[in-house]
Amino acid sequence: MKNKYIFGGAIIVLFLSLMVYLFTQSNIQYEEDFAVVKANGKTVKATGQWVKEKNYEVNKEQRTFSFYLADAKGVEMKVLYNGSIPNNFESAVSVVVTGKYENGQFHARDILTKCPSKYEEQYEEVKTTTSVM
Amino acid sequence: MIGSIILTLALASSIIAMIMFYLSYRGYNNTLNIGRIAYHSMAMLVIVASTILWYALLNHQYEYKYVYSYSANSLSTGFLLASFWGGQEGSFMLWLLLTSIVGIILQSYSSKRGDLEPRVMAVFTLATSFLLVMVSPLFKNPFASIWAEPVFLNAKSINPAYFGMPFLQSFMFSDGSSGQNFVKMSAELVAVLKGAGISLNQFIIDGKGLNPQLLNFWMQIHPPILFIGFSMATVPFSFAIAALMKNDYKDWVKQSLPWVLAGSGILGLGIMLGGYWAYEMLGWGGYWAWDPVENSSLIPWLVGVASIHTMLVQKKSQSKGGPGKYIKTNLMLSMMTYILVLYSTFLTRSGVLGDASVHSFVDPGMLVYLFLVIFISSFILLGVGMIVYRWKTLSQEPPADESILSRELALFTAAIVLCASAVIVLVGTSAPIFGQAVDTFFYNEMHLPLAIIIGLLNGVSLLIKWKQSTTQELIKKSIISVAASILFTVILVIAGLTDLMMIILAFATSFSLLVNLEIAVKIIRGNLKMLGAYVSHIGIALFILGVIGSAFGSDEVDIDLIKNQPKEAFGYEMTFTGIEPIENNTKYAFHINLKEGDKNHTISPVMYISDFNNGLMREPAILSMLTRDVYLSPLGYEEGGDDGHNHGGSTVTLEKGGTTEFNDVKINFNEFLISGETMTAMQTGQDFEMGAALTAEKDGKKKEFKLKLISKQGNRELTSESFPDLNMKIELVNLQAGNIQVALSALDNSQPETTAPKQEVLSVTASIKPYIGLVWIGVLVMFLGFLVSVARRLKESLV
């Protein structure tokens, strides 16, 4: 009985403390307010929409991909990513970038594109037919 | 309609079966047969409903919302069958179908083992009832009509023969930003169509299609296998509750064990097939990304495998008489396995992971969310309630005192380590519920020590005997394996493995591999049916070695391959030899020749624009060899030569968002300018104008301008724009759905400076993945081991 508890107990304590430590180390907050993203300079997951009007740029020499992302309030920031355009980027409903805001731009190390839905219809957006003329 | 009725009848049968089985358990005499009949009718009804759904998919009955949303005319029969589980409703349906079939086997199995059947089946039918409520018209019904809720259908999927119908105009909408037209499908439109004598299947002639990333061979088999594993997880839960109902904990272990083994083996295989799909299709370059969807199916697997270990101890310790050790642990782990399957469903289907996963999940609505919560809570309450209810008997378990060098303790520790791994993945994966996320290094760092412990345990536990071993015995037995493992690890270090933890892991893993191999060889000469555990553990050791090799030995480089000009990477001469349209010209294969010494291989990454999402899709190509894979993931392609770039007086077709260049001026087509009024005006023959917004850019200076198509009294006029300072005139030639054509010319009529024809360049990320094959081989070997064990434990379950 004792052996079981000493063995198990030691592993559990060690393990839990390691987990809590690593969790705090690797913890990333979601942030939807770009004003906050720009201000705190921490690694965050920022969710926004690609500013289509400003298009995107692919720099072949430096292998970077950059574009503008806007949050719900319309605050924009430039996102720089070392890599190529993710699949589905053009048709993404929203984009989640993981990284940090430094020197006037957001350095993303990961881009996640949320696409109109594997699982659900999303044409409701179309309801508001836009008149741009 | 008929599908929903059948599912409702099935729900009624399931509830009747549950009540009848429960009454039989309570001692009623005539109810067992009614329960059996009710269960089999339910299973039959579910099979019929599934067949109807498949029939609707194969026959393109787009009147069903599900068929419209996840299939299309262009899909091959295989993918049409697979679109059954392309969406949420269908995947619940698949889960239900497989659970029903598992239940048929379980009913027959339990009826041959004492008084087991009524108890086990009463719990099992509770699970099928919940699933049936899930697919009922209240929640995720795959038979919902397309117009049940107003929905916008792309005009492309409507029969053009009806476009001229005046009544349709009030249902037409246009999306200014994409230039696409939509038809609002609602009850009103259905009524109008009915009045005109048009059936929905005549009116809607094509579906939205399946997400191109799902159009892969593995997609056709990965989900069903995974769901068989999920369905089988219901069984140990039922056995555990059944044991608690009877308050007898002796026989359930051996009766449940074959199911846990088979279920874990199949679930493990299903998970890894998903990993293979990611590797082959998504071009992540890896097979495991700690994505929440992958994680959520891994958690129940880990707990299920943990339960196997402690169940073995209980079974073994029964030889002394009594129910044996670890009863509470086994009951709880068995129940947790299923509860975690439900939790996994909750995580992936409730929308809580919205921003966390590459899989996109849209909130299924508050009702479904609540129902999922009720579903899980019911099973948790049932499990916890029964344990509390029987606590008195359960705590009579004699205290287990294991010596440190006993196989019992080793097995128990293994279960703890597996549960620890499950907790790590659970914590990380659940973080998004609280608006947090963890970096993947959280999982990696946490698992490294666990993997080392698993390796060492995996070896040591087999060398020590049940009950007690002496230290000398252990040293004597392990000396050869230890020496050989040290030798192997030294070789790895010389080969370039530098990370200390990885070196320890490599040692631990090779140790467990060698010990298991040694014993397996002995067994092959003796009693073959004992082989299962050793084969599984050889599998896991091979798997971990594959992970070490592919994770730490891999190397990656981005290269530009100019057509027919070889480039050197990883000891290969890579040459881009050309493009070939494949699959009816819908995709493009980029042939790359890999030359190593005098051996030549050609592999072809694929890129294409998907109709489904108008996005550029890329598929990697893999050259698999015994010791490594060469993995080529396409990045982009530049057409060369005479294709409309960089020369004067040409007509260029631009898609929305597209770019072209003319005399160093970059021209970008930003968006269509089409309003709702334009659409109406167009259809009614009134005057209208529409256009395109473009940008011209040179040396960082941008100019925005518009080109228009103006229609006055039936005459079309197309506008043009001149830029004297850029020496460029741009004329609109045509404007149609999806793209525009513009003519570009120089204003001074001079020929533009002739530039050398552009070269054809394919950019790829090339990577080398040593020993990644061991990952797949390891899992397959592990699966094989599970099968052998199932065969052995199945025989024992009858005794």
Side-chain angles (χ1 to χ4, degrees):
Chain A
M1 197 68 180
K2 264 188 227 147
N3 282 331
K4 188 168 90 181
Y5 286 129
I6 294 167
F7 229 79
I11 291 176
I12 289 169
V13 170
L14 201 81
F15 158 77
L16 282 181
S17 39
L18 185 65
M19 190 172 78
V20 169
Y21 170 74
L22 274 173
F23 189 86
T24 53
Q25 289 296 300
S26 62
N27 181 26
I28 304 168
Q29 300 273 356
Y30 281 92
E31 191 53 70
E32 283 174 9
D33 188 340
F34 288 0
V36 178
V37 173
K38 288 179 183 179
N40 74 7
K42 275 196 284 189
T43 300
V44 290
K45 279 184 183 287
T47 310
Q49 286 203 314
W50 171 40
V51 186
K52 287 191 174 138
E53 294 72 36
K54 295 200 175 172
N55 223 314
Y56 57 75
E57 236 172 89
V58 178
N59 184 327
K60 281 212 66 88
E61 280 79 51
Q62 299 184 334
R63 298 208 171 275
T64 54
F65 166 60
S66 60
F67 58 97
Y68 285 86
L69 206 60
D71 68 4
K73 291 177 196 157
V75 181
E76 287 182 12
M77 67 177 180
K78 190 178 182 184
V79 180
L80 187 72
Y81 174 64
N82 278 311
S84 63
I85 314 174
N87 276 353
N88 295 338
F89 185 81
E90 291 88 345
S91 59
V93 180
S94 72
V95 180
V96 186
V97 288
T98 311
K100 257 189 231 202
Y101 194 82
E102 271 173 337
N103 309 325
Q105 46 192 357
F106 190 87
H107 294 264
R109 63 182 146 107
D110 185 43
I111 301 180
L112 195 74
T113 49
K114 310 299 297 175
C115 294
S117 80
K118 185 167 109 189
Y119 280 120
E120 223 47 54
E121 281 276 340
Q122 276 217 325
Y123 281 126
E124 279 74 1
E125 284 169 25
V126 184
K127 271 179 203 160
T128 48
T129 41
T130 43
S131 165
V132 265
M133 233 162 177
Chain B
M1 205 48 205
I2 179 90
S4 301
I5 293 170
I6 290 175
L7 284 178
T8 311
L9 288 175
L11 175 59
S13 310
S14 178
I15 292 169
I16 293 170
M18 181 172 73
I19 295 168
M20 292 302 148
F21 282 125
Y22 183 76
L23 291 178
S24 315
Y25 152 69
R26 296 305 302 241
Y28 286 79
N29 285 326
N30 309 319
T31 45
L32 185 58
N33 267 325
I34 307 176
R36 287 173 177 170
I37 292 166
Y39 183 82
H40 282 95
S41 350
M42 179 222 82
M44 284 307 139
L45 288 166
V46 168
I47 292 169
V48 169
S50 307
T51 313
I52 291 175
L53 183 56
W54 262 311
Y55 181 84
L57 284 165
L58 287 172
N59 290 288
H60 308 303
Q61 296 181 350
Y62 298 118
E63 61 188 291
Y64 294 113
K65 186 174 183 185
Y66 192 81
V67 177
Y68 171 78
S69 304
Y70 299 104
S71 73
N73 298 343
S74 59
L75 292 181
S76 67
T77 309
F79 286 125
L80 279 174
L81 291 173
S83 55
F84 187 96
W85 48 84
Q88 256 194 34
E89 292 84 355
S91 59
F92 275 116
M93 194 66 204
L94 177 70
W95 188 6
L96 171 66
L97 172 67
L98 294 168
T99 307
S100 306
I101 295 169
V102 165
I104 296 175
I105 304 166
L106 180 67
Q107 186 272 326
S108 147
Y109 177 92
S110 57
S111 66
K112 292 178 192 125
R113 284 161 178 82
D115 58 350
L116 191 61
E117 184 186 356
R119 286 173 288 137
V120 165
M121 291 308 290
V123 184
F124 194 83
T125 42
L126 179 66
T128 54
S129 302
F130 266 104
L131 284 174
L132 277 160
V133 175
M134 196 72 215
V135 294
S136 73
L138 284 176
F139 301 108
K140 290 279 162 190
N141 184 356
F143 298 106
S145 302
I146 191 154
W147 46 269
E149 283 170 51
V151 59
F152 288 85
L153 308 184
N154 196 312
K156 277 189 279 185
S157 47
I158 305 298
N159 191 338
Y162 302 118
F163 271 160
M165 301 271 189
F167 63 79
L168 196 57
Q169 304 317 323
S170 51
F171 297 99
M172 294 279 284
F173 291 85
S174 177
D175 176 18
S177 64
S178 66
Q180 289 175 316
N181 299 324
F182 296 91
V183 171
K184 187 181 181 185
M185 179 53 71
S186 58
E188 292 101 301
L189 180 54
V190 172
V192 172
L193 286 172
K194 211 172 184 182
I198 303 164
S199 84
L200 267 179
N201 284 335
Q202 285 172 312
F203 184 68
I204 309 168
I205 50 161
D206 205 353
K208 271 178 70 185
L210 212 52
N211 186 326
Q213 292 185 324
L214 302 179
L215 294 176
N216 177 279
F217 170 74
W218 301 102
M219 156 66 187
Q220 298 173 60
I221 52 172
H222 154 64
I225 294 184
L226 199 71
F227 275 105
I228 295 174
F230 275 13
S231 303
M232 290 184 76
T234 327
V235 180
F237 183 94
S238 308
F239 273 110
I241 298 287
L244 285 160
M245 283 160 92
K246 200 185 177 190
N247 208 9
D248 177 353
Y249 309 98
K250 189 164 183 294
D251 290 339
W252 81 280
V253 182
K254 64 180 185 195
Q255 287 161 348
S256 182
L257 204 49
W259 287 91
V260 187
L261 282 164
S264 305
I266 292 169
L267 184 58
L269 185 70
I271 294 169
M272 210 56 235
L273 282 175
Y276 190 75
W277 169 32
Y279 180 68
E280 202 203 57
M281 184 74 185
L282 301 182
W284 294 344
Y287 44 86
W288 197 260
W290 298 109
D291 183 87
V293 174
E294 299 174 319
N295 287 353
S296 64
S297 50
L298 178 66
I299 304 166
W301 184 81
L302 288 165
V303 175
V305 174
S307 76
I308 293 173
H309 290 82
T310 46
M311 281 166 95
L312 283 176
V313 180
Q314 185 181 344
K315 194 167 165 299
K316 190 80 190 173
S317 59
Q318 285 174 350
S319 58
K320 281 192 290 187
K325 294 166 178 168
Y326 300 136
I327 296 169
K328 276 176 290 193
T329 313
N330 289 332
L331 290 171
M332 283 191 264
L333 289 180
S334 293
M335 295 194 291
M336 279 312 288
T337 308
Y338 184 59
I339 288 167
L340 286 166
V341 165
L342 297 180
Y343 181 69
S344 155
T345 312
F346 168 73
L347 278 182
T348 53
R349 302 298 147 80
S350 65
V352 292
L353 295 180
D355 287 337
S357 170
V358 286
H359 301 68
S360 43
F361 300 105
V362 173
D363 198 334
M366 202 56 203
L367 264 178
V368 175
Y369 183 95
L370 268 179
F371 180 70
L372 279 168
V373 172
I374 294 171
F375 195 168
I376 303 173
S377 316
S378 308
F379 280 85
I380 294 177
L381 278 177
L382 178 63
V384 174
M386 285 305 286
I387 295 232
V388 170
Y389 180 61
R390 298 294 191 199
W391 189 252
K392 226 170 155 184
T393 328
L394 288 173
S395 49
Q396 280 167 2
E397 188 183 340
D401 195 5
E402 260 83 77
S403 79
I404 288 203
L405 286 182
S406 70
R407 196 179 282 186
E408 285 88 338
L409 189 62
L411 283 166
F412 184 73
T413 318
I416 286 187
V417 174
L418 285 164
C419 288
S421 163
V423 169
I424 295 164
V425 184
L426 186 73
V427 166
T429 311
S430 305
I433 297 180
F434 311 103
Q436 316 258 322
V438 289
D439 220 318
T440 51
F441 84 77
F442 171 74
Y443 301 107
N444 294 333
E445 298 278 308
M446 288 299 294
H447 274 95
L448 209 72
L450 291 184
I452 293 171
I453 299 172
I454 287 177
L456 291 174
L457 265 182
N458 197 345
V460 172
S461 66
L462 299 175
L463 296 174
I464 55 186
K465 292 185 214 151
W466 294 98
K467 289 178 199 160
Q468 174 81 51
S469 279
T470 62
T471 322
Q472 289 98 320
E473 237 181 318
L474 182 60
I475 292 172
K476 210 175 118 195
K477 274 188 183 168
S478 62
I479 190 101
I480 299 173
S481 311
V482 171
S485 308
I486 291 174
L487 188 70
F488 176 73
T489 313
V490 169
I491 293 171
L492 284 185
V493 172
I494 293 169
L497 193 66
T498 47
D499 189 284
L500 179 66
M501 289 298 264
M502 293 311 284
I503 293 170
I504 300 173
L505 178 59
F507 167 76
T509 311
S510 49
F511 172 63
S512 84
L513 178 67
L514 290 169
V515 172
N516 280 287
L517 268 176
E518 203 185 328
I519 297 177
V521 169
K522 275 183 203 158
I523 291 177
I524 290 172
R525 298 192 191 127
N527 192 351
L528 271 178
K529 68 169 197 234
M530 311 288 277
L531 205 59
Y534 306 102
V535 174
S536 288
H537 286 125
I538 290 170
I540 190 85
L542 288 175
F543 169 80
I544 295 175
L545 287 176
V547 171
I548 298 175
S550 59
F552 289 82
S554 70
D555 203 358
E556 186 181 292
V557 65
D558 287 345
I559 38 179
D560 290 332
L561 295 169
I562 302 166
K563 193 174 175 184
N564 295 329
Q565 289 185 21
K567 262 206 179 149
E568 173 92 18
F570 307 122
Y572 292 89
E573 231 179 68
M574 302 191 182
T575 318
F576 167 44
T577 55
I579 308 177
E580 190 192 338
I582 52 168
E583 295 180 29
N584 299 327
N585 298 331
T586 53
K587 297 181 177 183
Y588 297 93
F590 296 80
H591 296 313
I592 296 172
N593 184 56
L594 298 182
K595 193 173 168 211
E596 183 197 21
D598 46 2
K599 271 185 284 181
N600 273 303
H601 312 271
T602 298
I603 56 173
S604 314
V606 169
M607 285 195 274
Y608 62 99
I609 305 281
S610 160
D611 283 340
F612 181 83
N613 53 14
N614 262 322
L616 176 67
M617 305 300 295
R618 309 177 183 85
E619 291 171 14
I622 306 162
L623 175 65
S624 291
M625 280 163 298
L626 202 58
T627 55
R628 60 189 162 173
D629 278 11
V630 180
Y631 191 93
L632 296 181
S633 194
L635 289 172
Y637 169 67
E638 271 175 29
E639 285 176 74
D642 205 32
D643 65 341
H645 288 271
N646 248 0
H647 52 96
S650 64
T651 307
V652 182
T653 304
L654 281 176
E655 301 223 357
K656 186 179 152 286
T659 304
T660 187
E661 265 186 30
F662 178 77
N663 284 353
D664 295 332
V665 183
K666 195 173 144 192
I667 298 147
N668 201 354
F669 170 31
N670 301 326
E671 62 181 345
F672 280 105
L673 306 171
I674 302 170
S675 68
E677 296 99 70
T678 311
M679 293 304 302
T680 341
M682 241 171 111
Q683 276 134 13
T684 48
Q686 291 166 321
D687 293 352
F688 67 90
E689 58 174 43
M690 57 184 168
L694 298 101
T695 320
E697 187 182 350
K698 192 184 182 183
D699 303 328
K701 271 179 274 176
K702 279 190 181 179
K703 278 187 184 149
E704 305 220 345
F705 61 99
K706 290 172 185 170
L707 294 174
K708 288 181 185 170
L709 185 162
I710 300 163
S711 172
K712 266 186 198 151
Q713 282 135 24
N715 293 323
R716 286 175 132 212
E717 186 195 319
L718 297 153
T719 66
S720 67
E721 194 84 24
S722 295
F723 301 97
D725 50 339
L726 298 175
N727 185 21
M728 180 185 82
K729 183 185 177 191
I730 177 162
E731 267 176 283
L732 185 64
V733 179
N734 197 4
L735 186 151
Q736 60 199 55
N739 63 48
I740 56 167
Q741 277 164 20
V742 290
L744 297 159
S745 54
L747 280 177
D748 58 4
N749 281 329
S750 72
Q751 283 298 308
E753 41 192 298
T754 44
T755 43
K758 252 181 141 180
Q759 280 165 317
E760 224 176 311
V761 182
L762 175 70
S763 310
V764 295
T765 303
S767 47
I768 196 110
K769 313 211 170 274
Y771 298 103
I772 196 165
L774 286 180
V775 170
W776 324 123
I777 294 169
V779 173
L780 286 177
V781 170
M782 188 157 48
F783 179 67
L784 209 69
F786 273 108
L787 289 187
V788 177
S789 299
V790 171
R792 173 183 172 194
R793 304 294 172 186
L794 209 51
K795 260 183 212 145
E796 290 175 3
S797 72
L798 271 170
V799 185

